Amino acid sequence: MTEPHDPRGNLVRPYAVTRGRTEPSRDIPIEAVLLAGPEAVQESRFAGHDKYRIAVLCEPKALSLAELAALTRLPLGVTRVLVADMVGAGLLQLHSAAPKTGFTERMDLLGRVLGGLRKL
């Protein structure tokens, strides 16, 4: 008789996935859109299981960092570190939706959006 599958056997600590790193090599916003080409999927086969899964998910359609974390069931911080590595290695194309402005300009924009929502 076979024993039931023990889900604890599949548990891998997040720091093991990122080799102890908690900070990404580059800042990637949660709404950043990522895309992988077919050649990136082939190359990522040798980059590790999680990076390969990310490349496969981003190959048919672009996904945000948040979507990737949800689909891979990895913590957002772990996903951010892996994706930053992949962008640095050229395995993913990064298309940031965040404006390249300072904090003050972003807060002004958010204030205008909030004001517009309140008028609705």
Side-chain angles (χ1 to χ4, degrees), residues 34-74:
L34 301 147
L35 187 62
E39 64 283 346
V41 173
Q42 291 297 339
E43 289 179 35
S44 68
R45 285 178 179 248
F46 307 105
H49 174 72
D50 293 310
K51 289 181 180 179
Y52 177 69
R53 282 191 330 171
I54 290 170
V56 167
L57 288 169
C58 290
E59 198 252 335
K61 66 178 184 172
L63 294 171
S64 71
L65 178 64
E67 290 172 311
L68 283 173
L71 290 170
T72 58
R73 295 184 178 193
L74 291 171

Side-chain angles (χ1 to χ4, degrees), residues 106-118:
R106 293 171 93 183
M107 290 306 293
D108 289 342
L109 173 63
L110 289 174
R112 290 193 306 271
V113 169
L114 182 59
L117 290 172
R118 286 184 177 150

Side-chain angles (χ1 to χ4, degrees), residues 10-117:
N10 291 335
L11 180 65
V12 175
R13 300 283 181 199
Y15 61 82
V17 175
T18 62
R19 296 180 182 167
R21 293 175 300 135
T22 58
E23 293 295 322
S25 57
R26 66 185 321 146
D27 184 36
I28 298 185
I30 193 170
E31 73 276 3
V33 178
L34 301 147
L35 187 62
E39 64 283 346
V41 173
Q42 291 297 339
E43 289 179 35
S44 68
R45 285 178 179 248
F46 307 105
H49 174 72
D50 293 310
K51 289 181 180 179
Y52 177 69
R53 282 191 330 171
I54 290 170
V56 167
L57 288 169
C58 290
E59 198 252 335
K61 66 178 184 172
L63 294 171
S64 71
L65 178 64
E67 290 172 311
L68 283 173
L71 290 170
T72 58
R73 295 184 178 193
L74 291 171
L76 181 61
V78 171
T79 306
R80 185 174 273 139
V81 169
L82 294 175
V83 164
D85 291 349
M86 293 176 74
V87 168
L91 297 174
L92 289 177
Q93 296 174 5
L94 172 66
H95 302 282
S96 180
K100 299 200 187 296
T101 59
F103 178 77
T104 304
E105 291 85 6
R106 293 171 93 183
M107 290 306 293
D108 289 342
L109 173 63
L110 289 174
R112 290 193 306 271
V113 169
L114 182 59
L117 290 172

